[in-house]
Amino acid sequence: MNKKLLLLISVCLVLFAFSIQSEEKAKETNPFFSEFDTPFGVPPFDKIKEEHYLPAFREAMTQQNWKIEAIVNNPEQPTFKNTIEALENSQTLLRTVGNVFDVLNGSMTNEKMQEIAKEVAPLRSKHRDDIRLNERLFRRVKAVYDQKDRLSLTGEQNMLLDKYYKDFVRGGANLSKEDKAELREINQELSVLTERFGENVLKEDNRFEMIIDKKADLAGLPQSVISAAAEAAKERGHDGKWVFTLHKPSMIPFLQYSGKRDLREKIFKAYISRGNHNDELDNKDILSRMVILRVKRASLLGYKSHADYVLENNMAKEPENVYDLLNQLWKPALKRAKMEAKELQEMIYKEGHDFKLQPWDWWYYTEKLKKAKYAFDEETLRPYFKLENVIDGSFYVANKLYGIQFIEKTDIPKYHEDVKVFEVKEADGSHIGIFYTDYFPRASKRGGAWMNSFRKQSRRGGKEIHPVITNNGNFSKPTGDKPALLSSEEVLTLFHEFGHALHGLLSDCTYYRISGTSVPRDFVELPSQIMENWAFEPEVLKVYAKHYKTSEVIPQELIDKLKEARHFNQGFATVEYLAASFLDMDWHTLTEAKELDVEKFETESLSRIALIPEIIVRYKSPYFRHIFSGGYSSGYYSYIWAEVLDADAFEVFKDTCLFDQKTAQSFRKNILERGGTEDPMILYKRFRGAEPKVEPLLKKRGLK
Ligand SMILES: [Zn+2]
């Protein structure tokens, strides 16, 4: 043999052996491949490096595939334990890696993390599809499902079985070969159209700019708004001029403050005609096609309409229940909106004009009216809302309600110096879980506020697995010698996310899949929104809302003004939102797959509810991203559905006392501890003794 070739082969062999060795070594050092050796088993943030994720994801998927192979090859008859529970337990490592990665990619991202996210997303979705389309696996799941009445399962086990079975069925597992192929084609086309719809709106958002070159055209605008517009102009190469765009932080202040009525009209009309210019960015044909495909898919899977398909999994269950709620709210909201319109019109006349109020005037005159009615400045509240005090306030409420304690820990690993860690304990000192708070903005964190889990509560083999929960926010940071002072909106947000955290922390379920916050979308905001109610109660404010310099408790008069101002303009806000919810439902309760004139359909939908011309639906169809490129089709109603629940539930506390122990215990036992282990309406009724009513919400929004 050629000497050179021989040399090459041996080099290759050495390299090969070396690579196996280094792979083994990598496995040894990858923290995901052994139990986390940390206090309470929290992720070892100091040891987890970016290069650990991909191998961990791959290994986790391989492990699950092996486990699924074992399930389908099991010679024994399918049982709940050897099929459903085995399937539930097949993804432990995948869940651990996925949770740590997803949480940190949200709050501590960087280019490497984003690259990993891009690489891993298709792997994860393919892995999910492979499981759902595994026919042998489905046959076993179905065998268990078909005999479920004879199995004497617990309620929780029944729910878990139901979830797994429905996953398969809703994915088309019961269909014939031809129908399966058609379904795949529909899904394929839908995913392309969804993507294009969103892209078009994004391009529309960026394509419009309103350039102002005369100072006179800036009349009425606050200095901060003018500076931001000058900055935007500079970025876009219009140095020395001012630019306004269709992005909300640019457009809304313009609509609120600009005294130039023609310019308000210009930017407003540009906003509402996005995706509707009969050009390459037009979304009408796209959404019309999407509606047809959704009708086809629903009927293929045996549902009357797309809404029936979606709502089956929600608390609302059927389109009729959603319409019923929307109709109950619509009348009082529209009545209030008409009164608001009248007030604004009077203001226009008083100013000496004689034009009729138009949608592009609404923000402008509302702002003026607000100033005239409630002469108070949000900023006067901040000194009373020092972040640390607000956190203490939220802990105080949880303690008074459920007896639980939050003890700050400094010996538990964390991923950033801004993060604080708390051990959560029962009144008797027993361990509940770990709670991370991460409240300041930074470049590596996404916007907004959210709750997440590093580890969800569950039980395995009789062993309790305690939750590790996080709250994230982007709140006002300390500046100079001032501590972090929150706005009233930020206070509510903190209480809101803390409510989600309690839902995760107090969970008392067996199976991960249906524990904690794994509940339907129209139910998940109940535990969070209800917490907001305590934030501004005088009894609670007395405890935490103290001036950061003088420790003086916030004056009652300021609180009253704040509460009054919250009712302001609620007719408009509710009507604008409800109209979009009706439109969403109208599109998705169609039962015939036929081409429709989008504009005509929308006009008819909105005239059925008699929307007044001074208010435009919050999203017109060609830019209604929630339902045509987000996950909210037939689901836009869920925001207000959950608000009905939280207002109705809080009423029980108001009727007894703010910290009534019997009510608190019932809320904990029936809602917070139960996760998704039972039908949400049954859980709710067990707490409330009746189905939710809309009156408390109407009162809360000042509509009654
Ligand atoms: Zn929420």
Side-chain angles (χ1 to χ4, degrees):
M1 198 187 276
N2 180 323
K3 253 193 179 171
K4 263 190 191 159
L5 188 64
L6 198 66
L7 187 69
L8 189 68
I9 289 174
S10 39
V11 166
C12 283
L13 277 175
V14 170
L15 280 178
F16 181 64
F18 185 73
S19 88
I20 287 183
Q21 220 181 21
S22 64
E23 211 169 273
E24 284 301 314
K25 203 155 182 262
K27 254 192 179 176
E28 266 168 43
T29 54
N30 193 323
F32 286 111
F33 296 149
S34 47
E35 289 270 312
F36 294 160
D37 182 20
T38 50
F40 305 103
V42 303
F45 299 110
D46 50 337
K47 296 208 179 74
I48 298 174
K49 304 273 173 288
E50 280 116 2
E51 61 264 29
H52 293 140
Y53 289 114
L54 269 176
F57 269 118
R58 287 213 177 91
E59 172 68 20
M61 289 179 204
T62 309
Q63 273 189 21
Q64 188 176 15
N65 287 340
W66 281 111
K67 287 179 183 166
I68 286 175
E69 264 310 287
I71 296 173
V72 297
N73 290 324
N74 191 336
E76 286 168 33
Q77 287 296 311
T79 64
F80 180 82
K81 201 169 171 47
N82 74 20
T83 303
I84 305 301
E85 224 173 67
L87 187 55
E88 167 77 0
N89 291 335
S90 68
Q91 41 201 324
T92 311
L93 180 59
L94 190 53
R95 281 168 174 164
T96 304
V97 185
N99 287 348
V100 174
F101 180 76
D102 292 340
V103 175
L104 293 184
N105 193 33
S107 48
M108 274 295 280
T109 194
N110 57 36
E111 263 176 40
K112 260 196 198 161
M113 289 290 276
Q114 283 158 18
E115 258 169 50
I116 298 168
K118 256 188 226 143
E119 197 168 340
V120 97
L123 293 180
R124 282 165 107 176
S125 92
K126 184 183 174 294
H127 183 70
R128 263 193 303 269
D129 282 350
D130 285 348
I131 296 172
R132 236 166 260 177
L133 296 172
N134 184 328
E135 286 180 20
R136 287 161 71 213
L137 182 60
F138 176 60
R139 242 176 279 143
R140 284 188 75 96
V141 171
K142 189 172 182 320
V144 181
Y145 185 83
D146 287 343
Q147 46 169 326
K148 70 177 195 172
D149 295 336
R150 279 175 280 132
L151 296 178
S152 54
L153 300 175
T154 66
E156 201 174 340
Q157 289 172 329
N158 254 317
M159 195 64 160
L160 187 73
L161 170 58
D162 223 55
K163 281 264 175 261
Y164 278 108
Y165 177 71
K166 268 195 198 142
D167 272 356
F168 283 99
V169 173
R170 290 168 64 82
N174 258 338
L175 298 181
S176 69
K177 223 177 181 161
E178 298 78 53
D179 285 352
K180 261 185 198 153
E182 190 182 345
L183 181 69
R184 220 171 307 209
E185 260 170 45
I186 292 175
N187 284 338
Q188 182 64 33
E189 194 181 342
L190 269 173
S191 75
V192 174
L193 292 174
T194 304
E195 203 54 42
R196 267 183 59 202
F197 187 98
E199 268 175 36
N200 285 350
V201 183
L202 193 70
K203 283 184 187 154
E204 281 280 47
D205 279 342
N206 293 327
R207 143 162 101 169
F208 175 88
E209 53 181 24
M210 185 166 78
I211 304 172
I212 291 182
D213 48 16
K214 288 194 297 261
K215 261 203 168 146
D217 285 343
L218 300 169
L221 299 175
Q223 192 49 51
S224 61
V225 176
I226 296 176
S227 308
E231 199 60 41
K234 211 170 169 185
E235 270 169 33
R236 289 163 175 258
H238 307 295
D239 224 346
K241 294 177 183 173
W242 298 269
V243 163
F244 289 89
T245 67
L246 300 181
H247 299 102
K248 290 243 162 115
S250 175
M251 180 187 75
I252 297 290
F254 192 86
L255 290 174
Q256 279 173 318
Y257 299 111
S258 170
K260 287 280 166 188
R261 190 167 187 248
D262 54 333
L263 295 180
R264 290 202 309 266
E265 180 177 355
K266 185 176 167 190
I267 197 165
F268 186 81
K269 283 191 168 163
Y271 179 78
I272 62 166
S273 54
R274 287 174 299 158
N276 191 15
H277 292 112
N278 300 316
D279 58 5
E280 77 283 2
L281 299 185
D282 196 284
N283 269 338
K284 293 198 291 293
D285 286 348
I286 293 178
L287 78 92
S288 165
R289 177 75 187 146
M290 286 180 77
V291 169
I292 291 175
L293 290 169
R294 284 171 175 173
V295 172
K296 278 192 181 163
R297 180 173 60 187
S299 98
L300 206 55
L301 292 168
Y303 296 87
K304 213 165 107 193
S305 69
H306 178 71
D308 286 272
Y309 169 69
V310 171
L311 294 172
E312 175 193 53
N313 271 344
N314 282 9
M315 187 174 177
K317 290 278 177 296
E318 288 170 15
E320 291 67 30
N321 295 330
V322 175
Y323 276 116
D324 191 40
L325 170 72
L326 297 179
N327 282 320
Q328 284 184 67
L329 299 170
W330 180 252
K331 251 198 198 156
L334 187 65
K335 195 174 141 201
R336 171 52 55 96
K338 283 179 180 168
M339 281 157 62
E340 289 167 3
K342 216 174 127 212
E343 258 187 303
L344 299 179
Q345 185 68 61
E346 274 160 18
M347 196 152 198
I348 292 171
Y349 292 147
K350 242 191 246 161
E351 278 192 347
H353 301 298
D354 60 357
F355 59 79
K356 194 178 163 333
L357 175 74
Q358 294 293 339
W360 46 93
D361 300 319
W362 196 287
W363 279 265
Y364 181 70
Y365 286 99
T366 294
E367 195 56 36
K368 283 194 165 187
L369 193 62
K370 192 172 166 189
K371 245 184 227 138
K373 271 192 164 175
Y374 317 96
F376 104 108
D377 183 358
E378 258 285 329
E379 293 303 302
T380 55
L381 298 171
R382 276 191 200 265
Y384 298 95
F385 294 142
K386 188 172 105 173
L387 174 67
E388 288 74 10
N389 291 349
V390 180
I391 295 174
D392 284 349
S394 66
F395 289 171
Y396 170 81
V397 172
N399 177 265
K400 288 279 277 181
L401 287 170
Y402 310 119
I404 58 176
Q405 323 162 46
F406 292 77
I407 297 127
E408 184 161 4
K409 290 283 198 182
T410 49
D411 56 347
I412 292 181
K414 49 190 198 177
Y415 57 88
H416 190 274
E417 54 178 13
D418 282 352
V419 175
K420 283 192 162 67
V421 195
F422 300 87
E423 186 190 355
V424 190
K425 289 182 172 186
E426 293 285 5
D428 67 6
S430 51
H431 179 75
I432 294 178
I434 297 294
F435 180 46
Y436 285 82
T437 64
D438 182 358
Y439 287 136
F440 296 132
R442 56 175 171 264
S444 59
K445 199 197 257 190
R446 71 176 166 92
W450 64 96
M451 168 270 193
N452 229 326
S453 320
F454 279 119
R455 185 174 69 215
K456 282 178 60 185
Q457 183 274 335
S458 62
R459 272 187 287 274
R460 257 187 94 178
K463 197 180 151 229
E464 186 69 34
I465 296 168
H466 294 279
V468 179
I469 304 295
T470 75
N471 265 181
N472 265 278
N474 281 275
F475 299 143
S476 311
K477 275 184 99 151
T479 49
D481 56 349
K482 271 193 196 161
L485 301 174
L486 306 192
S487 70
S488 64
E489 209 46 54
E490 288 173 332
V491 173
L492 285 180
T493 304
L494 187 143
F495 271 77
H496 178 106
E497 298 309 331
F498 183 62
H500 284 307
L502 289 177
H503 200 186
L505 285 162
L506 296 179
S507 169
D508 187 13
C509 309
T510 305
Y511 302 109
Y512 178 108
R513 170 76 202 268
I514 46 177
S515 81
T517 49
S518 297
V519 300
R521 175 169 285 163
D522 52 2
F523 189 60
V524 76
E525 297 299 335
L526 166 61
S528 52
Q529 284 175 186
I530 197 169
M531 282 307 289
E532 295 179 31
N533 290 289
W534 275 274
F536 296 146
E537 286 291 329
E539 209 179 322
V540 179
L541 285 164
K542 237 184 274 165
V543 176
Y544 81 90
K546 294 176 178 164
H547 197 284
Y548 77 99
K549 271 188 184 156
T550 63
S551 294
E552 170 216 11
V553 172
I554 193 167
Q556 186 59 42
E557 169 213 62
L558 270 182
I559 291 303
D560 292 344
K561 275 190 179 172
L562 172 71
K563 282 192 165 171
E564 251 179 83
R566 295 191 77 82
H567 285 169
F568 183 67
N569 204 34
Q570 281 298 309
F572 170 85
T574 314
V575 156
E576 180 200 47
Y577 164 84
L578 288 176
S581 304
F582 275 110
L583 184 58
D584 169 28
M585 289 305 292
D586 286 355
W587 276 122
H588 292 117
T589 43
L590 290 171
T591 52
E592 243 181 291
K594 66 170 188 210
E595 195 116 1
L596 285 164
D597 180 331
V598 170
E599 280 176 295
K600 191 166 159 262
F601 183 89
E602 185 174 291
T603 309
E604 281 170 6
S605 167
L606 299 172
S607 69
R608 253 197 309 278
I609 52 172
L611 178 65
I612 51 174
E614 294 89 341
I615 298 177
I616 300 278
V617 57
R618 184 178 290 178
Y619 301 102
K620 286 168 93 52
S621 308
Y623 57 90
F624 202 161
R625 260 185 288 222
H626 286 82
I627 67 168
F628 293 118
S629 78
Y632 273 85
S633 59
S634 338
Y636 196 60
Y637 77 90
S638 33
Y639 296 99
I640 209 148
W641 180 281
E643 241 184 285
V644 168
L645 295 181
D646 96 71
D648 184 67
F650 188 65
E651 189 105 322
V652 196
F653 288 99
K654 277 210 297 212
D655 286 349
T656 50
C657 98
L658 214 46
F659 297 110
D660 182 59
Q661 284 307 290
K662 214 177 123 218
T663 313
Q665 279 312 312
S666 169
F667 192 75
R668 177 173 176 175
K669 284 261 155 319
N670 292 310
I671 309 281
L672 296 177
E673 290 185 353
R674 300 302 311 278
T677 58
E678 223 174 325
D679 182 84
M681 189 59 98
I682 294 175
L683 292 179
Y684 189 81
K685 275 166 46 183
R686 212 172 280 144
F687 159 70
R688 187 62 164 111
E691 290 202 0
K693 296 187 190 63
V694 301
E695 281 71 26
L697 172 71
L698 294 177
K699 252 193 275 169
K700 188 177 160 193
R701 286 200 171 204
L703 300 175
K704 212 171 183 180

